């Protein structure tokens, strides 16, 4: 009965979600991920909507389609950027091992991919395997985008090795499984050690007061150098980077109308108002803020685990960089990220797709994938296979940061909750509203949702 209701509700929910996705995309920077791969953004996720019909996105321009192994073609959609070559290499290895299916990877920008899932829930135009940001999976499960694979997973003993947090994001409220977690990550601070030293600091700031002091002394308006760079874009990336500040101030998603929540937003807005952070952060993706840091235009960066695999190439030895915990107000805080893969509704290769996902997230493969991509494994036994996460001092900081990281959801209305948060953040950073005004507007959206369906407490 529940699944029937989900299908009937899909069309209505899709309309609402498309509206939110389109408004979110409108704030995105034109210098986005597809151009960083050397491809045309339009070709990377080409959609034709005419008379209500939608064509699935084509492979990004410049990508070469690997030779087929003769198996049934299976489509895999993802929004990995720098990690794409590692994913494609794994897929090529799997294709060479068997001939039941031939998996073809297609890169699509995150915003476009989420829109395609929402449209596909109604049109049926979905890939065989789809990637999704972990906090968003519950909403797409409710739309009927992903297949229930509980039966295919029930005898897989490896599930016992998965960390509860990432695995829970693949389940519905009844505990049924719709996907397999691929990686986990969190946020910390990357800082230009040379720039801080020149300003008289021999270590990273630990508190908000110290952080603002470092921002002030490392900002050089004449050279276009800011003390801090982050992503405050009108998408999930903006919410992702805002949440640590919200929780550090003593608030959370369920208390956005509190003085603590207002303080968090006013603090970030103050960095912009004082010139310590560019107003352009409302248009910057995480890749854009990363680029500014690597170019020496920001002394500190709110950085994700995955960027460890990119820093050396981006900085090119121009300066020494280090990783530190995000500064604290009342407490240290961070946020958990990561992606899941699921078999999409209507796939004619459901069993074979599940077999591939199990192979991809075996202990050995999950360890190898996460090391190469600069992420944390989702399996305890994968961590034990590699000393990277303990021996590399950069990873060691992120490992410590994971102790303070909170989850986003899971909640079937997370896209709506997230939109309320990033909308509030943007309105305050642009000077349109005070932190209190912006967060009360967010609370007017979020509180009724959580009163009806609270976010489950994770053990």
């Amino acid at each position: 009965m529940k699944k029937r209701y989900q299908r009937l509700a899909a069309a209505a929910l899709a309309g609402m979600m498309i509206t939110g996705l389109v408004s979110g995309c409108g704030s995105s920077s034109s210098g986005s991920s597809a151009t960083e791969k050397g491809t045309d953004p339009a070709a990377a996720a080409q959609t034709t909507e005419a008379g209500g019909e939608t064509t699935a996105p084509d492979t990004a321009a410049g990508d070469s389609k690997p030779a087929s192994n003769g198996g049934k073609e299976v489509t895999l959609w993802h929004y990995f950027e720098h990690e794409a070559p590692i994913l494609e290499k794994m897929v090529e290895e799997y294709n060479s091992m068997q001939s039941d299916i031939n998996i073809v990877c297609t890169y699509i920008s995150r915003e476009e991919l989420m829109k395609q899932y929402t449209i596909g829930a109604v049109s049926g135009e979905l890939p065989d395997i789809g990637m999704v940001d972990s906090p968003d999976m519950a909403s797409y499960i409710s739309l009927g985008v992903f297949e229930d694979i509980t039966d295919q997973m029930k005898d897989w003993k490896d599930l016992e090795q998965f960390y509860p947090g990432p695995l829970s994001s693949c389940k519905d409220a009844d505990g049924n499984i719709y996907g397999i977690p691929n990686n986990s990550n969190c946020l910390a601070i990357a800082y230009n050690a040379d720039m801080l030293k020149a300003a008289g600091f021999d270590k990273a700031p630990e508190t908000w007061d110290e952080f603002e002091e470092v921002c002030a002394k490392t900002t050089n308006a004449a050279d276009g150098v800011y003390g801090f760079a982050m992503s405050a874009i009108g998408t999930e990336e903006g919410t992702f980077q805002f949440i640590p500040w919200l929780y550090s101030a003593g608030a959370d998603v369920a208390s956005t109308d509190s003085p603590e929540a207002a303080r968090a937003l006013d603090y970030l807005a103050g960095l912009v108002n004082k010139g310590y952070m560019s107003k352009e952060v409302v248009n910057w993706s995480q890749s854009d803020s990363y680029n500014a840091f690597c170019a020496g235009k920001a002394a500190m960066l709110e950085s994700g685990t995955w960027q460890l695999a990119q820093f050396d190439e981006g900085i090119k030895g121009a300066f020494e960089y280090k990783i530190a915990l995000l500064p604290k107000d009342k407490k240290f805080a961070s946020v958990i990220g990561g992606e899941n893969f699921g078999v999409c509704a209507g796939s004619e290769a459901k069993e074979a797709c599940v077999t591939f996902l199990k192979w991809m997230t075996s202990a050995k493969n999950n360890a190898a994938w996460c090391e190469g991509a600069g992420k944390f494994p989702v399996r305890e036994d994968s961590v034990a296979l590699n000393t990277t996460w303990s021996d590399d001092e950069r990873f060691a900081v992120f490992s410590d940061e994971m102790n303070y990281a909170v989850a986003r959801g899971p909640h079937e209305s997370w896209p709506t909750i997230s939109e309320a948060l990033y909308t509030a953040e943007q309105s305050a950073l642009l000077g349109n509203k005070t932190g209190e005004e912006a967060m009360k507007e967010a609370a007017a959206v979020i509180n009724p949702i959580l009163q009806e369906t609270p976010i489950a407490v994770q053990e």
Side-chain angles (χ1 to χ4, degrees):
M1 189 71 180
K2 184 175 181 179
K3 287 186 179 179
R4 184 181 178 188
Y5 170 77
Q6 290 172 346
R7 299 291 183 180
L8 291 173
L13 285 171
M16 292 186 289
M17 291 178 69
I18 289 171
T19 301
L21 286 163
V22 170
S23 65
C25 292
S27 299
S28 297
S29 169
S30 59
S32 65
S33 52
T35 54
E36 289 176 16
K37 285 188 70 183
T39 62
D40 178 1
Q46 197 167 39
T47 306
T48 303
E49 298 182 42
E53 295 181 358
T54 305
T55 58
D58 296 326
T59 302
D63 288 356
S64 57
K65 190 173 180 179
S68 174
N69 63 4
K72 178 180 178 60
E73 182 169 306
V74 163
T75 53
L76 184 156
W77 291 358
H78 69 94
Y79 58 80
F80 282 139
E81 301 172 28
H82 298 276
E83 310 94 326
I86 307 172
L87 174 64
E88 290 161 4
K89 184 176 180 180
M90 289 190 73
V91 167
E92 289 174 13
E93 179 182 352
Y94 188 76
N95 285 343
S96 70
M97 291 168 51
Q98 49 78 50
S99 58
D100 292 335
I101 57 174
N102 184 66
I103 304 171
V104 178
C105 296
T106 299
Y107 167 83
I108 307 170
S109 70
R110 184 189 183 281
E111 291 76 20
E112 183 64 25
L113 182 53
M114 299 306 102
K115 185 164 67 173
Q116 287 295 330
Y117 286 152
T118 306
I119 296 170
V122 178
S123 69
E125 294 289 335
L126 291 166
D128 293 285
I129 300 171
M131 185 179 91
V132 66
D133 199 3
S134 56
D136 290 336
M137 192 160 195
S139 64
Y140 291 111
I141 289 173
S142 73
L143 281 176
V145 171
F146 293 103
E147 290 276 0
D148 185 340
I149 59 172
T150 306
D151 288 344
Q152 287 74 26
M153 302 293 287
K154 63 183 179 182
D155 295 326
W156 194 39
K157 296 296 185 182
D158 288 38
L159 278 182
E160 299 172 0
Q161 294 292 335
F162 282 76
Y163 291 112
L167 186 59
S168 71
S169 68
C170 294
K171 298 178 180 179
D172 66 8
D174 297 323
N176 298 310
I177 302 174
Y178 288 79
I180 302 179
N182 173 266
N183 67 83
S184 189
N185 58 66
C186 66
L187 293 172
I189 288 291
Y191 66 97
N192 184 323
D194 295 346
M195 198 176 290
L196 262 67
K197 185 176 181 180
F201 302 98
D202 57 5
K203 63 185 181 74
E206 294 184 3
T207 67
W208 283 13
D209 288 342
E210 292 174 357
F211 187 80
E212 185 168 342
E213 182 184 1
V214 173
C215 284
K217 292 187 177 180
T218 55
T219 295
N220 185 335
D223 293 337
V225 176
Y226 295 90
F228 181 47
M230 66 181 294
S231 169
I233 195 170
T235 69
E236 179 64 25
E237 290 186 48
T239 299
F240 184 54
Q241 295 226 326
F242 172 58
I243 281 180
W245 305 90
L246 179 69
Y247 277 73
S248 183
D252 57 31
V253 174
S255 62
T256 50
D257 53 359
S258 66
E260 291 80 8
R263 169 172 165 73
L265 201 45
D266 282 332
Y267 179 80
L268 293 176
L271 297 182
V272 173
N273 294 336
K274 295 169 185 175
Y276 305 155
M277 182 163 64
S278 172
K279 287 186 177 180
E280 284 301 308
V281 296
V282 298
N283 296 315
W284 283 1
S285 68
Q286 292 179 109
S287 292
D288 294 325
S289 57
Y290 158 85
N291 289 337
F293 177 75
C294 291
K297 295 301 181 180
M300 295 179 290
L301 169 73
E302 188 165 353
S303 175
T305 321
W306 65 93
Q307 290 177 332
L308 292 180
Q310 308 163 23
F311 275 130
D312 290 340
E313 179 183 352
I315 295 171
K316 295 181 173 61
F319 58 84
E320 181 185 10
Y321 76 93
K322 294 184 178 181
I323 306 296
L325 296 178
L326 282 159
K328 68 176 180 178
D329 183 27
K330 290 185 177 179
K331 60 184 180 180
F332 287 114
S334 187
V335 59
I336 293 173
E339 285 79 29
N340 303 333
F341 280 95
V343 181
C344 292
S347 174
E348 297 178 357
K350 178 178 177 179
E351 299 282 346
C353 289
V354 172
T355 299
F356 163 70
L357 293 179
K358 289 179 178 178
W359 175 86
M360 186 181 182
T361 50
S362 68
K364 179 181 177 181
N365 287 340
N366 191 234
W369 156 257
C370 289
E371 179 185 17
K375 302 174 186 288
F376 284 105
V378 291
R379 300 175 54 131
E380 187 174 359
D381 53 355
S382 293
V383 174
L385 291 176
N386 198 313
T387 59
T388 296
W389 298 284
S390 59
D391 291 356
D392 187 321
E393 64 179 19
R394 303 169 306 164
F395 263 115
V397 174
F398 275 109
S399 294
D400 187 16
E401 191 77 272
M402 288 289 282
N403 294 315
Y404 311 108
V406 299
R408 292 168 288 159
H411 197 285
E412 63 183 33
S413 296
W414 182 259
T416 303
I417 294 170
S418 177
E419 183 180 10
L421 290 171
Y422 67 64
T423 299
E425 181 185 26
Q426 290 209 316
S427 64
L429 267 58
L430 289 170
N432 296 330
K433 291 183 175 67
T434 65
E436 181 180 7
E437 292 168 343
M439 294 312 289
K440 282 188 175 180
E441 287 191 6
V445 175
I446 297 170
N447 288 353
I449 293 173
L450 297 185
Q451 285 170 6
E452 182 175 348
T453 310
I455 295 175
V457 176
Q458 300 299 312
E459 297 296 333

